Coordinates of all heavy atoms in Angstrom, one line a residue:
G153 N 36.3 116.8 87.2 CA 34.9 117.1 87.5 C 34.7 116.7 89.0 O 33.8 116.0 89.3
A154 N 35.6 117.2 89.9 CA 35.7 116.7 91.2 C 34.9 117.4 92.3 O 34.9 117.0 93.4 CB 37.1 116.6 91.6
S155 N 34.2 118.5 91.9 CA 33.8 119.4 92.9 C 32.3 119.2 93.4 O 31.9 119.7 94.4 CB 34.0 120.9 92.5 OG 33.3 121.0 91.2
T156 N 31.5 118.6 92.5 CA 30.1 118.4 92.9 C 29.6 117.1 92.4 O 30.3 116.4 91.6 CB 29.2 119.5 92.2 OG1 29.4 119.5 90.8 CG2 29.5 120.9 92.8
G157 N 28.4 116.7 92.7 CA 27.7 115.6 92.1 C 28.5 114.3 92.2 O 29.1 113.9 93.2
Y158 N 28.5 113.5 91.1 CA 29.1 112.2 91.0 C 30.6 112.2 91.2 O 31.2 111.3 91.8 CB 28.7 111.5 89.7 CG 27.3 110.8 89.8 CD1 26.3 111.1 89.0 CD2 27.1 109.8 90.8 CE1 25.1 110.5 89.1 CE2 25.9 109.2 90.9 CZ 24.9 109.5 90.1 OH 23.7 108.8 90.2
G159 N 31.2 113.2 90.6 CA 32.7 113.3 90.7 C 33.2 113.5 92.2 O 34.1 112.8 92.6
V177 N 40.2 118.1 89.6 CA 40.1 119.2 88.6 C 38.7 119.6 88.5 O 37.8 118.7 88.4 CB 40.6 118.7 87.3 CG1 40.7 119.8 86.3 CG2 42.0 118.0 87.4
Y178 N 38.4 120.9 88.5 CA 37.0 121.3 88.4 C 37.0 122.8 88.0 O 38.1 123.4 87.9 CB 36.4 121.2 89.8 CG 37.2 121.8 90.9 CD1 37.1 123.2 91.1 CD2 38.2 121.1 91.5 CE1 38.0 123.8 92.0 CE2 39.1 121.7 92.4 CZ 38.9 123.0 92.7 OH 39.8 123.6 93.5
F179 N 35.8 123.3 87.7 CA 35.7 124.7 87.3 C 34.7 125.4 88.2 O 33.5 125.2 88.2 CB 35.1 124.7 85.8 CG 35.3 126.1 85.2 CD1 36.5 126.4 84.7 CD2 34.2 126.9 85.1 CE1 36.6 127.7 84.1 CE2 34.3 128.2 84.5 CZ 35.5 128.6 84.0
E180 N 35.3 126.1 89.2 CA 34.5 126.8 90.2 C 35.0 128.2 90.5 O 36.1 128.5 90.1 CB 34.5 126.0 91.5 CG 34.0 124.5 91.4 CD 32.5 124.4 91.2 OE1 31.8 125.4 91.2 OE2 32.1 123.2 90.8
G215 N 40.0 125.2 86.8 CA 40.2 125.7 85.5 C 39.5 124.9 84.5 O 38.8 123.9 84.8
D216 N 39.7 125.2 83.2 CA 38.9 124.6 82.1 C 39.6 123.2 81.8 O 40.7 123.2 81.1 CB 38.9 125.5 80.9 CG 38.1 124.8 79.8 OD1 37.5 123.8 80.0 OD2 38.1 125.4 78.7
A217 N 39.0 122.1 82.2 CA 39.6 120.8 82.0 C 39.7 120.5 80.5 O 40.4 119.6 80.1 CB 38.8 119.8 82.7
F218 N 38.9 121.2 79.6 CA 39.0 120.9 78.2 C 40.2 121.5 77.6 O 40.6 121.2 76.4 CB 37.7 121.5 77.5 CG 36.4 120.9 77.9 CD1 35.4 121.7 78.3 CD2 36.2 119.5 77.8 CE1 34.1 121.1 78.7 CE2 35.0 118.9 78.2 CZ 34.0 119.7 78.6
S243 N 34.2 112.9 85.1 CA 32.9 113.3 85.5 C 32.5 114.7 85.2 O 31.9 115.4 86.0 CB 32.7 113.0 87.0 OG 31.4 113.1 87.4
L244 N 32.8 115.1 84.0 CA 32.5 116.5 83.6 C 31.0 116.6 83.1 O 30.5 115.7 82.5 CB 33.4 117.0 82.5 CG 34.8 117.2 82.7 CD1 35.5 117.8 81.5 CD2 35.1 118.1 83.9
A245 N 30.4 117.7 83.5 CA 29.1 118.0 82.9 C 29.2 119.5 82.6 O 29.3 120.3 83.5 CB 27.9 117.7 83.9
S246 N 29.1 119.8 81.3 CA 29.3 121.2 80.9 C 28.4 121.6 79.8 O 28.1 120.8 78.9 CB 30.8 121.4 80.5 OG 31.0 122.7 80.0
M301 N 29.9 116.6 75.3 CA 29.7 115.6 76.3 C 30.0 114.2 75.9 O 29.8 113.2 76.6 CB 28.2 115.6 76.7 CG 27.8 116.9 77.5 SD 28.6 117.0 79.1 CE 27.8 115.7 80.1
Y328 N 30.9 108.5 83.3 CA 29.5 108.3 83.7 C 28.5 108.6 82.6 O 28.6 109.6 81.9 CB 29.2 109.1 84.9 CG 30.1 108.8 86.1 CD1 30.7 109.8 86.9 CD2 30.5 107.5 86.3 CE1 31.6 109.5 87.9 CE2 31.3 107.1 87.4 CZ 31.9 108.1 88.1 OH 32.8 107.8 89.1
S329 N 27.6 107.6 82.5 CA 26.5 107.7 81.5 C 25.2 107.6 82.1 O 25.0 107.3 83.3 CB 26.8 106.6 80.4 OG 25.9 106.8 79.3
Y330 N 24.1 107.7 81.3 CA 22.8 107.6 81.7 C 21.9 106.9 80.6 O 22.2 107.2 79.4 CB 22.2 108.9 82.2 CG 20.8 108.7 82.8 CD1 20.6 108.0 83.9 CD2 19.7 109.3 82.1 CE1 19.3 107.9 84.5 CE2 18.4 109.1 82.6 CZ 18.2 108.4 83.8 OH 17.0 108.2 84.3
Y340 N 16.2 112.1 76.5 CA 17.6 111.7 77.0 C 18.3 110.7 76.0 O 19.1 111.1 75.2 CB 17.5 111.2 78.4 CG 18.9 111.4 79.0 CD1 19.2 112.5 79.9 CD2 19.9 110.5 78.7 CE1 20.5 112.6 80.3 CE2 21.2 110.7 79.1 CZ 21.5 111.7 80.0 OH 22.8 111.9 80.4
K349 N 26.3 110.4 74.8 CA 26.6 109.3 75.8 C 27.0 108.1 74.9 O 27.9 107.3 75.4 CB 25.4 109.0 76.7 CG 25.2 110.1 77.7 CD 26.4 110.3 78.6 CE 26.1 111.3 79.7 NZ 27.4 111.8 80.4
N375 N 24.8 105.5 85.6 CA 24.4 105.8 87.0 C 22.9 106.1 87.0 O 22.2 106.2 86.0 CB 25.1 107.0 87.5 CG 26.6 106.8 87.6 OD1 27.1 105.7 87.5 ND2 27.3 107.9 87.7
K376 N 22.4 106.2 88.3 CA 21.0 106.5 88.5 C 20.7 108.0 88.3 O 21.6 108.8 88.5 CB 20.7 106.1 90.0 CG 19.3 106.4 90.5 CD 19.3 106.4 92.0 CE 17.9 106.7 92.5 NZ 17.9 107.0 93.9
A377 N 19.5 108.3 87.9 CA 19.1 109.7 87.8 C 19.0 110.3 89.2 O 18.3 109.8 90.1 CB 17.7 109.8 87.1
L378 N 19.7 111.4 89.4 CA 19.7 112.1 90.7 C 19.7 113.6 90.5 O 20.1 114.1 89.5 CB 21.1 111.7 91.4 CG 21.1 110.4 92.0 CD1 22.5 110.2 92.6 CD2 20.1 110.3 93.2
T380 N 21.2 116.8 90.6 CA 22.5 117.5 90.6 C 22.4 118.8 89.8 O 21.3 119.0 89.2 CB 23.7 116.7 89.9 OG1 23.4 116.6 88.5 CG2 23.8 115.3 90.5
Q381 N 23.4 119.6 89.8 CA 23.3 120.9 89.1 C 23.1 120.6 87.6 O 22.4 121.3 86.9 CB 24.6 121.7 89.3 CG 24.7 122.2 90.7 CD 25.8 123.2 90.9 OE1 26.1 124.1 90.1 NE2 26.6 123.0 92.0
A382 N 23.7 119.5 87.1 CA 23.6 119.2 85.7 C 22.2 118.7 85.3 O 21.6 119.1 84.4 CB 24.7 118.1 85.3
S383 N 21.7 117.7 86.1 CA 20.4 117.1 85.8 C 19.2 118.1 85.9 O 18.2 117.9 85.2 CB 20.1 115.8 86.6 OG 19.9 116.1 87.9
I393 N 12.4 112.5 88.1 CA 13.2 112.3 89.3 C 12.3 112.4 90.5 O 12.4 111.6 91.5 CB 14.4 113.2 89.3 CG1 15.4 112.9 88.2 CG2 15.1 113.1 90.7 CD1 16.7 113.7 88.2
Ligands
NAI557 P1 27.7 118.2 88.3 O1 27.2 119.4 87.6 O2 27.3 118.0 89.7 O3 29.3 118.1 88.1 C1 30.0 118.5 87.0 C2 31.5 118.7 87.4 O4 32.1 119.1 86.2 C3 31.8 119.8 88.4 O5 32.8 119.3 89.2 C4 32.2 120.9 87.6 O6 33.1 121.8 88.2 C5 33.0 120.2 86.5 N1 33.1 121.0 85.2 C6 32.2 121.4 84.4 N2 32.8 122.1 83.3 C7 34.1 122.0 83.5 C8 35.3 122.5 82.9 N3 35.2 123.1 81.7 N4 36.5 122.2 83.4 C9 36.6 121.6 84.6 N5 35.6 121.1 85.3 C10 34.4 121.3 84.8 O7 27.2 117.0 87.4 P2 26.9 115.4 87.6 O8 25.4 115.2 87.5 O9 27.6 114.9 88.7 O10 27.5 114.8 86.2 C11 28.7 114.2 86.1 C12 28.6 113.1 85.1 O11 27.6 112.1 85.5 C13 28.1 113.6 83.7 O12 28.7 112.9 82.7 C14 26.6 113.2 83.7 O13 26.1 113.1 82.5 C15 26.7 111.9 84.4 N6 25.4 111.4 85.0 C16 24.6 112.2 85.8 C17 23.4 111.7 86.2 C18 22.5 112.5 87.0 O14 21.3 112.2 87.2 N7 22.9 113.6 87.6 C19 23.0 110.3 85.9 C20 23.9 109.6 85.2 C21 25.1 110.1 84.7

Side-chain angles (χ1 to χ4, degrees):
S155 54
T156 55
Y158 276 121
V177 187
Y178 50 85
F179 194 79
E180 301 291 350
D216 181 10
F218 295 127
S243 186
L244 293 185
S246 173
M301 291 298 287
Y328 302 136
S329 187
Y330 183 65
Y340 202 100
K349 291 300 184 192
N375 299 345
K376 176 197 181 193
L378 279 178
T380 64
Q381 293 187 43
S383 69
I393 293 179

